[in-house]
Every structure is written in C-alpha cells, then in structure tokens.
Amino acid sequence: MPSVAELNEKERESLLADHPDWELAREGKAIKRTFQFGDFSEAWGFMSRVALLADAQDHHPEWFNVYAKVEITLTTHDAGTSGGLSQRDATMARAIDGLL
Ligand code: HBI
C-alpha cells in the first residue's frame, strides 16, 4: 500500500488551529468532529454532500449517524506505517466545514 507523508507535530498543531471545531482522536492519528442538524433529512443531505466530496478527493471519512447527529473521523489509512494524519485530512476537513 503506498505510503503518504504523515503530518509532523507542527503541522498537526496548525491543522487544529485552522480547524478549531475538529479535535485530535486516536492518539493523534485522526481528527474528529460532531455535527448536530435539525432532523435526519438535514443530516442525510449533509452526508450525501460529504460523500460526493470524499469520492472527488479519493479520501473517505469514517462516520457515525444517528437521527440528526453525524460524527466524522478523518484519518489517512495510507499514512506512515499504520495510518495517521496527512494533508489529505486537512483538505477534507476544510472542504467539509465549507458545506456548513
Ligand atoms: N480514505 N481516509 C482514507 N484514507 C486513505 O488512505 C484512502 C482513502 N480513500 C481512498 C484511498 N486511500 C485510495 O488511495 C486507496 O489507497 C484505497
């Protein structure tokens, strides 16, 4: 599996500074954000748009949805030796935030 450059500590810090609504997860190997919508229909519409973004960027979220809540975790499976944060995750977080 091709390896993708993992973010270093400084890059990770600036990612969080640029995206304050996201938090580190999985011991720094992922970022996570929870979204609360008005109802399931709104949540599903958001997820549909994220899905199109993910396919366009070839970078797919790990997510959970129950009714109007959506939790998205971003990590790069191909980063480093066993997955981690890459520039792809930052790009995807910015694109997802742009949908709101
Ligand atoms: N999505 N989150 C995530 N991480 C990846 O490494 C990844 C992906 N989607 C597709 C993808 N990689 C392709 O480049 C293949 O490696 C599957």
Side-chain angles (χ1 to χ4, degrees):
M1 184 183 293
S3 179
V4 176
E6 205 169 356
L7 298 184
N8 62 35
E9 188 57 35
K10 191 167 176 297
E11 289 166 329
R12 237 196 332 262
E13 280 164 15
S14 69
L15 188 163
L16 293 170
D18 293 347
H19 306 289
D21 294 313
W22 294 77
E23 59 186 4
L24 276 185
R26 293 194 198 154
E27 294 166 349
K29 288 190 172 291
I31 51 174
K32 182 175 181 181
R33 181 175 176 181
T34 299
F35 304 82
Q36 189 63 49
F37 295 95
D39 57 24
F40 175 72
S41 173
E42 276 183 39
W44 186 254
F46 170 73
M47 291 175 74
S48 302
R49 289 183 290 161
V50 171
L52 294 176
L53 276 179
D55 248 15
Q57 298 191 21
D58 193 27
H59 195 68
H60 301 82
E62 297 172 26
W63 44 8
F64 169 81
N65 159 250
V66 56
Y67 185 56
K69 182 169 83 169
V70 179
E71 292 175 355
I72 295 181
T73 298
L74 296 173
T75 186
T76 301
H77 312 137
D78 299 346
T81 51
S82 60
L85 279 175
S86 75
Q87 193 52 46
R88 294 179 184 177
D89 299 303
T91 302
M92 194 60 184
R94 183 175 302 113
I96 290 171
D97 290 351
L99 295 176
L100 298 173

